[in-house]
Amino acid sequence: DITREEIRRTAVPGSETMEVIVTRLSVPVGATIPLHTHPGDEHAVVITPARAEAPNGNIVEFAVGTPLFFPEGQVHGGLTNVGDGPMVAITTHVVRKGVPLTELAN
């Protein structure tokens, strides 16, 4: 199963409605990240070499240090880990407080 370990959660300075959530995301071999959105921006950095299959069948290679950015509301995911080990990234979300971090896309 995909795991998301929360490392830190803190308010955005000067904001009563936004928070920053930092997590360690781990996707085991064979698992698929579902298509989803967030109630704010997501920044991520890949921390293990990874190989994934996109929904269109293309293979995507992620080197250690690859940065990723998904603005609020952008549907992303759909990648299946086809590498030799877990795909791991550190994610930073700047999102609205009190709203679920992830909403599945239809």
Side-chain angles (χ1 to χ4, degrees):
D1 288 329
I2 296 170
T3 60
R4 184 182 295 276
E5 174 190 350
E6 189 171 308
I7 297 169
R8 180 173 169 85
R9 182 184 297 249
T10 189
V12 171
S15 174
E16 306 233 350
T17 61
M18 300 294 287
E19 65 184 345
V20 177
I21 303 170
V22 179
T23 68
R24 182 181 189 274
L25 176 68
S26 183
V27 181
V29 174
T32 300
I33 301 168
L35 291 172
H36 64 283
T37 63
H38 301 287
D41 294 344
E42 176 183 11
H43 302 264
V45 177
V46 176
I47 63 170
T48 60
R51 180 181 162 107
E53 184 175 349
N56 63 6
N58 288 342
I59 299 298
V60 182
E61 302 277 348
F62 295 96
V64 171
T66 300
L68 305 167
F69 172 66
F70 306 102
E72 179 175 3
Q74 179 179 330
V75 175
H76 59 285
L79 298 174
T80 300
N81 181 356
V82 295
D84 296 326
M87 296 188 323
V88 181
I90 301 298
T91 66
T92 302
H93 295 86
V94 182
V95 293
R96 291 188 302 284
K97 288 182 185 178
V99 177
L101 179 61
T102 301
E103 183 175 324
L104 294 179
N106 293 333

